[in-house]
Amino acid sequence: MAKVLMKGNEAIGEAAVLAGCRYYFGYPITPQSELPAYLAKRLPEVDGVFVQAESEVAAINMVYGSGSAGARVMTSSSSPGISLKQEGISYIAGAEVPCLIVNVMRGGPGLGNIAPAQSDYWQSTRGGGHGDYRTIVLAPNSVQEMADMTITGFDLSDRFRNPVLLLSDGVLGQMMEPVNLPEPHDYNINSKKWALGYRGSDKNERNLCSSIFLDNDELEEHNWHLYQKYQVITDLFSKGEYKDFAVEEHLCDDAEIILVGYGIISRILKTVVEKCRKRGIKAGLVRPKVLWPFPTAVFERLAKTASQFLVVEMSCGQMVEDVKLSVDGKKPVFFFGRTGGTVPSDFEILNEVDKLVRPD
Amino acid sequence: MTMKKVFSRPASLSKTPFHYCPGCDHGVIHRLVAEAIDELEVGDRTIGVAPVGCSVFAYDYFNFDFNQAAHGRAPAVATGIKRTRPDSIVFTYQGDGDLAAIGTAEIIHAANRGEKITVIFVNNAIYGMTGGQMAPTTLIGMKTQTSPYGRDASTAGNPIKMSEMIATLESPVYVTRVTINSVANLMKAKKAIYNAFKLQKEGKGFSFVEVVAICPTNWGKKPADSHKWLTENMLPVFPLGTFKDTLGVEKSA
Amino acid sequence: MSSKVERIILAGFGGQGVLFLGKVIAETGMHAGKNVSWIPSYGPEMRGGTANCSVILSENEIASPMVTVPDTVIAMNRPSVTKFNQKIKAGGMLMYNSSLIERQEFRDDIRLVEIPANEIAEELGNPKVANLVMAGAYSKFSKLITFDDLVACLPGLVKGAKKEMLDINLAAFKKGFDYVEEKKYMFGRYVYSVFKGI
Ligand SMILES: Cc1ncc(C[n+]2csc(CCOP(=O)(O)OP(=O)(O)O)c2C)c(N)n1
Ligand code: SF4
Ligand SMILES: [Mg+2]
């Protein structure tokens, strides 16, 4: 297929349709509104269902229902709306229902503003709602990846029966870049034997989707079951089949300073690395593409060769904690952040690098 | 009573120029609220609660205290304020997305508890601030960003009539629907808002004024055409009138 | 202007079609086989303020799509000049809509190109195509897209447009392109006439 110029938000919408998603439930909020607008038009063309819910609370619970009935289903929102969805996400994780949740992050806390931000990292990677659970968190950095990771996200969520969060930001949602759309994917709503309403001939028990385990022992068993699932996922991302998918490294082998950033920041850091190299500074880039499970191993390895790390985020410093945990005190980890909706420029980051590599 | 200059600025209205689009009704409705509060001489003890919607900055336009609530939660926030400071005059100012979608639970229960607050509900049949998505009050067949084929009752339901719904509850003392499409209706709207605050001043109970309003920007119409469209299309669905007046405030005035 | 990459900021009033202008340039770049990116300023459009977008055309992969130091600013109104003038790279270009922006003492280390886009568009009978006049003019300077690329790309961009509308759009490109060719453009405080004449 020929490339099309699309907004990140629209690319997610089209990719979802191509991935076989026919159900969308959401509530309007900037800067992700192009996505529901796109699907409001597009889903009826493929006999899909678009529902504008009365709130994000309602929307995520519609997703819970649809997902438990076996659908490939998604919702999207931006930071304040994602906060509202946390209760539902906790239920979905507890009941092990697959779904895709898109967060096009904006500035917070509270109503904050509608400008791009990365201040929901903790909320995304630490669960967000109550209870011992995890969501797989994917962090695209281009419009192409908004599309690709939507598809991967659906696949991962189905495979592990776990909610997947696509964590992007206002820039990625609003920007246009050429996209190669993948081939459409057929999805059969009857492919999940555990789903409510599954009608295969091999069905002999009733199916139940629930997160309640009143008996202590049963809940403990369930929580350890979830924990084991999260371990399997972690292993697949750190050394198994998703190892290369999980992280991008750029010029790290001989790097003295490693710049670390995800999402739109990683694009800016790539420019910074190029400029550093031109000036003779041996800089490299590590870009986590998956934020949970965090690509710890890469940092453990690079802590042996590099002499320092600089983490850059559009927040007051959230992912930097995971980098520090991974580097484990072996090398200094520094932080540079802009928040409130400002995207740091390559110049100001370069300036930070200068301060670190040429202290005087 | 001395004659008042028609265009003088009500004392409760600040000098900040409105950020609303040209012709938008929000500014006029703010003025009506300010006038009622001035006439009742309660400006020194009024606390407003701003919603999330185009009137999110309502606090900039009034000279009294304000809270800015999360989307839809203004009636709950107002409940907290009023219970804490029962002597203050507390009101929420909310749009249709805020009040009739995400905040339906909060408004119904504040009304049902008979919170002694006043609610000004601006129904413009659209989500103004976010760029024109379908609201619960959007008319059947009306095209919006999220109802690109026109609102279809079979999947998106029918325009929700909040005044009628709230009037079925026992606790509210005053529930009325007005509009400002003509001078005569503007005067009626002014009176209704005055009545609602008067009841609160007298400690009576929950009062609710729905103002059917225009959103020229997201309706894609000129302000004058918008009022015409409102008259022809919205008023048949959202008829003007008083649905509940337990204490007869309209007659007593 | 480096031949490998062109970073452009396009700005004007909401309603002057600067986001679409950016899209025209980006889409043309894409069809011409270049890497492209387009980022809008976004926000409650209702305030009627200044809209702008950043476009990059590049022969190589685009690392950062953010434009902090533009090679070119295309300004459709006065506030856009005020906002972006100082950001232009030394040796870069300010292309401005002289129908709404009077000539003044600009920086003397940038190229200035004035185009009476509104007048040209009105002559064509549709004031709305002022943005496309600028696209035509830009193609004159670009090393990555040509006038022919623009023309080839247009039908796909205004799908469903009537033939007359398409013709007016094409005429706007042409007028913009020709204007630059025939008229003066200035380098700093000095007025040159580069392509034809003097
Ligand atoms: C939790 C949450 N969800 C969504 C939004 C985005 N949002 C802002 S205003 C608005 C709708 C406003 O519409 P309405 O209440 O009708 O007010 P109007 O702008 O029309 O006056 C929405 C959905 C938000 N701020 N917070
Ligand atoms: S978008 Fe609509 S409701 Fe909001 S200020 Fe403009 S006209 Fe008023
Ligand atoms: Mg509204």
Side-chain angles (χ1 to χ4, degrees), chain A residues 116-135:
Chain A
Q118 294 184 321
S119 40
D120 304 347
Y121 179 90
W122 283 335
Q123 183 197 54
S124 314
T125 57
R126 299 305 190 262
H130 62 285
D132 240 341
Y133 75 92
R134 291 293 195 175
T135 46

Side-chain angles (χ1 to χ4, degrees), chain B residues 96-97 122 124 126-128:
Chain B
D96 38 41
V122 180
N124 57 10
I126 199 106
Y127 284 23

Side-chain angles (χ1 to χ4, degrees), chain B residues 162-190:
Chain B
M162 290 309 294
S163 291
E164 284 86 337
M165 270 172 71
I166 288 171
T168 64
L169 301 171
E170 270 171 47
S171 312
V173 292
Y174 186 51
V175 181
T176 188
R177 183 185 286 126
V178 296
T179 191
I180 55 174
N181 62 345
S182 67
V183 177
N185 278 336
L186 181 77
M187 294 323 285
K188 282 191 199 158
K190 180 176 154 104

Side-chain angles (χ1 to χ4, degrees), chain C residues 2 6 18 25-26 35 37 40 42 50 64 69 77 81 89 92 99 105-108 111 118 122 124 147 157 173 186:
Chain C
S2 144
E6 297 177 9
V18 289
I25 293 175
N35 292 296
S37 65
Y42 64 90
T50 319
S64 171
V69 180
N77 68 353
V81 176
K89 187 171 169 178
S99 306
E105 280 214 359
F106 290 107
R107 286 167 51 181
D108 57 9
R111 242 167 161 185
N118 286 31
E122 266 153 38
L124 291 168
F147 180 76
L157 269 165
F173 284 162
M186 307 179 292

Side-chain angles (χ1 to χ4, degrees), chain A residues 193-239:
Chain A
K193 295 200 169 86
W194 52 262
L196 309 184
Y198 171 70
R199 300 215 204 295
S201 55
D202 53 347
K203 182 173 179 178
N204 40 30
E205 269 177 66
R206 79 181 174 117
N207 287 343
L208 181 68
C209 269
S210 161
S211 64
I212 184 171
F213 296 90
L214 267 190
D215 181 87
N216 302 9
D217 294 337
E218 274 182 35
L219 181 55
E220 180 163 38
E221 194 188 318
H222 179 64
N223 283 345
W224 285 120
H225 153 73
L226 291 179
Y227 176 82
Q228 268 159 15
K229 177 172 89 175
Y230 302 146
Q231 283 310 118
V232 169
I233 299 173
T234 305
D235 286 348
L236 283 175
F237 279 89
S238 61
K239 42 192 187 235

